[in-house]
Amino acid sequence: MRLTERDTPEGLLVAVCDDDVLGETFEEGAVSLTVTEEFYGGEEVDESAVIDSLARADVANIVGTRAVELAIDEGFIDAGNVLEVDGTHHAQLLRM
């Protein structure tokens, strides 16, 4: 998986994606999701690094079946809040 962390005025922004979706665009009806290198193309990491980062995140964007399933399994995301766009999964996390 790829992981990027950014400190913002609103807190820690985390972007996670599966390796195989990086650079891809998914479209379904009016919804379009582009997994850009600029936003998602961070370091290649293992699951423990993703879990640690999501635990500290104030906001997170998660794309790809493996990454979203990990976020669900670890309790960060509820499965009922996952979008499926053209065969890939997308979820967002916001802590207030």
Side-chain angles (χ1 to χ4, degrees):
M1 285 178 272
R2 299 293 177 138
L3 172 70
T4 301
E5 292 185 352
R6 294 175 179 85
D7 287 312
T8 73
E10 292 78 27
L12 181 63
L13 169 63
V14 173
V16 179
C17 75
D18 292 355
D19 291 321
D20 64 338
V21 300
L22 188 61
E24 299 292 328
T25 296
F26 301 93
E27 296 179 343
E28 190 168 314
V31 177
S32 179
L33 172 64
T34 301
V35 188
T36 63
E37 177 75 34
E38 294 81 20
F39 190 76
Y40 289 95
E43 294 183 39
E44 189 168 339
V45 297
D46 61 15
E47 290 184 356
S48 65
V50 171
I51 293 166
D52 176 66
S53 187
L54 290 176
R56 295 180 291 106
D58 294 294
V59 177
N61 288 280
I62 309 160
V63 181
T65 303
R66 182 174 165 221
V68 170
E69 285 179 1
L70 177 63
I72 292 168
D73 291 345
E74 294 297 322
F76 297 112
I77 299 294
D78 183 274
N81 295 324
V82 174
L83 297 176
E84 185 173 334
V85 181
D86 193 21
T88 198
H89 293 96
H90 173 64
Q92 293 182 316
L93 166 71
L94 175 62
R95 287 201 178 89
M96 299 175 83

